Amino acid sequence: MKLELGRINIEGLSFGANTEVNAGILTINKDELIALIKQDEFIKDVKVEFASPGEKTRITPVKDVIEPRVKVSGSGAVFPGMLNKVETVGEGRTHVLSGAAVVTCGRIVGFQEGIIDMSGPGADYTPFSKTHNIVLVIEPTADLSQYDYEASARMAGLKAAAYLGEAGRNATPDVIETYETLPLMDGVKAFPNLPRVGYVYMLQTQGLLHDTYVYGVDGKKIVPTILYPTEIMDGAILSGNCVSACDKNTTYHHQNNPIIHDMYARHGKDFNFVGVIITNENVFLMDKERSSDWTAKLTKFLNLDGAIVSQEGFGNPDTDLIMNCKKIEAQGVKTVIVTDEYAGRDGKSQSLADADKAADAVVTGGNANEVIILPPMDRVIGMYDYVDKIAGGFDGSLRPDGSIEAEIQVIIGATNELGFNRMTARGY
């Protein structure tokens, strides 16, 4: 598959009569956008606010982040199986409003939503302090179940991103990036002397608001399978999870997975990037055994020499990570695992809930238990009435002056296990 991403640089936001892109400014018809979101009977009201880099603004509680895009040519449309028909994506051209992001926010769904600070020390821990954010503050109808609320908030973000993405349909991209993966045997012939490397992409699928969707299918209902990397770059995987903010993969993370991006940069030079094996993270041991067996089997089927394995979440999924690692290694395939740590506030506790001697090459996104003080902001988009309760917070986290003392676990993307963050360490 061959995919072109036409990136249209967004350098500012404004409201106006028409939703359009002009000279780097994304102008939005607020009334149209609100009317679109309020078509959902479970959404009582929605506010649309902007937050741009450097502002003394805090957004919380954040549910998801989505990059606005539009499919210009090739099969399928944005968010297949969720917002559009189930058609294969990953080829043709997609235009991207690069530098813009839709952020969904509002009354908390669970206890694991997070914070984006647009300036100050917290801004250094999240990539979304660098994007121009269109924030949807969603008010659900009364007595709505948390599952229906999550679904409505998720769809609101996708609808908004698709609506805004249309503004880039006829725009001239500032940059066009091209990515291509050949069919299996063609790839073997094209790079006969390069090591064959694949990517094992673990998806959070534990249920109870810990969900990820593949072409619209709840990931816990699938068995591990193979995707072209370009399918993932083109929106085949979407977030629906409320895991700890620091290491959840938002939809934006899936759209811009840096492991896939960096592997493409070395494809055909240092190694043959064969493709992506997606696998789920399960709750019960039998399901973990099945998925890790299938994952290892697929690495052997692809005749890989090496594999990168990335995790999502922590605790229970640590077992899935280590099972994948040791079973893939047993097939003769060298692995590098990408994770983060919950090593206690002093950094002296066991980093992962599971371990094995096969996991001898590890990249970590940092220690989520590290404590930070987030200073008060001039403006808060959303609400503060939950800060002491979310994962990483504690009784007294929210101080009278509006500052927050908490673990970096509360910050969206702080220890992201795709490496989409600003902290790392390596051990061999």
Side-chain angles (χ1 to χ4, degrees):
M1 279 190 173
K2 183 177 181 178
L3 175 67
E4 293 182 341
L5 293 180
R7 296 195 175 275
I8 301 157
N9 295 332
I10 301 301
E11 300 172 352
L13 304 170
S14 68
F15 290 120
N18 300 304
T19 298
E20 59 187 0
V21 176
N22 186 21
I25 304 300
L26 172 60
T27 301
I28 300 170
N29 183 316
K30 183 194 289 190
D31 293 338
E32 280 187 359
L33 180 55
I34 289 174
L36 174 67
I37 303 306
K38 290 180 69 175
Q39 288 176 3
D40 188 323
E41 62 179 335
F42 292 141
I43 295 179
K44 179 180 179 181
D45 197 12
V46 60
K47 297 178 182 177
V48 181
E49 299 193 44
F50 295 155
S52 288
E55 296 177 352
K56 291 184 177 180
T57 297
R58 175 167 294 145
I59 312 168
T60 188
V62 173
K63 307 178 188 316
D64 196 12
V65 185
I66 311 106
E67 186 171 55
R69 297 184 171 196
V70 61
K71 196 76 184 155
V72 175
S73 66
S75 65
V78 293
F79 312 130
M82 190 69 74
L83 200 61
N84 289 293
K85 293 180 180 179
V86 185
E87 294 181 87
T88 301
V89 293
E91 61 181 355
R93 180 185 286 189
T94 297
H95 282 182
V96 180
L97 300 191
S98 189
V102 173
V103 177
T104 50
C105 174
R107 180 171 62 80
I108 196 164
V109 173
F111 294 99
Q112 294 179 311
E113 297 164 50
I115 295 170
I116 296 172
D117 277 0
M118 301 306 296
S119 62
D124 292 335
Y125 288 87
T126 176
F128 307 117
S129 64
K130 307 298 186 292
T131 51
H132 295 276
N133 299 319
I134 303 97
V135 185
L136 307 180
V137 184
I138 298 166
E139 181 183 350
T141 55
D143 301 321
L144 186 65
S145 78
Q146 61 185 154
Y147 299 101
D148 288 335
Y149 178 27
E150 185 280 323
S152 288
R154 171 166 27 96
M155 292 302 294
L158 299 178
K159 289 176 183 177
Y163 168 78
L164 298 174
E166 284 290 339
R169 179 177 292 278
N170 297 315
T172 301
D174 295 286
V175 177
I176 297 177
E177 301 170 352
T178 303
Y179 303 91
E180 184 174 16
T181 295
L182 297 173
L184 194 60
M185 295 310 297
D186 292 342
V188 172
K189 294 175 183 177
F191 309 108
N193 300 317
L194 293 179
R196 298 168 56 76
V197 180
Y199 173 34
V200 176
Y201 197 179
M202 294 174 57
L203 307 177
Q204 175 60 258
T205 55
Q206 294 177 288
L208 299 176
L209 302 175
H210 291 50
D211 301 305
T212 303
Y213 296 88
V214 182
Y215 281 101
V217 175
D218 187 332
K220 63 178 170 287
K221 298 180 180 180
I222 68 171
V223 292
T225 189
I226 300 168
L227 293 182
Y228 279 96
T230 54
E231 291 180 82
I232 298 165
M233 300 178 89
D234 210 16
I237 298 178
L238 307 175
S239 175
N241 76 60
C242 300
V243 298
S244 290
C246 63
D247 55 15
K248 73 178 289 180
N249 292 332
T250 68
T251 296
Y252 190 104
H253 285 100
H254 292 300
Q255 292 171 302
N256 295 280
N257 184 312
I259 293 176
I260 293 176
H261 181 275
D262 290 355
M263 291 183 78
Y264 263 127
R266 298 177 64 179
H267 175 55
K269 301 172 185 176
D270 300 316
F271 52 73
N272 179 4
F273 179 22
V274 175
V276 179
I277 299 168
I278 60 169
T279 185
N280 44 22
E281 298 173 354
N282 299 289
V283 175
F284 298 109
L285 181 59
M286 179 179 69
D287 297 322
K288 293 178 185 292
E289 293 283 9
R290 179 193 302 113
S291 289
S292 55
D293 284 347
W294 275 61
T295 299
K297 177 182 67 175
L298 289 173
T299 64
K300 189 66 173 179
F301 176 75
L302 294 174
N303 194 28
L304 297 182
D305 297 300
I308 297 174
V309 185
S310 70
Q311 182 185 10
E312 182 176 13
F314 72 100
N316 188 292
D318 292 351
T319 300
D320 301 85
L321 175 68
I322 297 302
M323 290 174 75
N324 282 324
C325 175
K326 67 183 183 181
K327 290 181 181 182
I328 294 169
E329 287 270 352
Q331 298 285 351
V333 180
K334 294 296 184 181
T335 63
V336 175
I337 62 173
V338 189
T339 181
D340 66 351
E341 302 172 58
Y342 286 76
R345 294 177 185 176
D346 59 3
K348 296 180 181 180
S349 299
Q350 181 174 319
S351 295
L352 298 177
D354 199 359
D356 190 88
K357 63 182 181 181
D360 58 0
V362 182
V363 178
T364 171
N367 178 20
N369 297 135
E370 178 184 333
V371 175
I372 190 172
I373 296 176
L374 305 175
M377 293 284 158
D378 292 345
R379 181 170 66 125
V380 175
I381 301 177
M383 57 213 67
Y384 269 154
D385 56 4
Y386 74 100
V387 169
D388 291 357
K389 300 177 182 179
I390 61 168
F394 46 85
D395 188 27
S397 279
L398 180 61
R399 296 170 167 181
D401 65 353
S403 63
I404 297 172
E405 180 181 2
E407 297 175 357
I408 61 171
Q409 192 176 169
V410 304
I411 300 173
I412 293 285
T415 62
N416 181 261
E417 293 159 293
L418 303 177
F420 207 133
N421 63 341
R422 301 170 70 94
M423 296 194 302
T424 189
R426 295 187 189 198
Y428 294 94

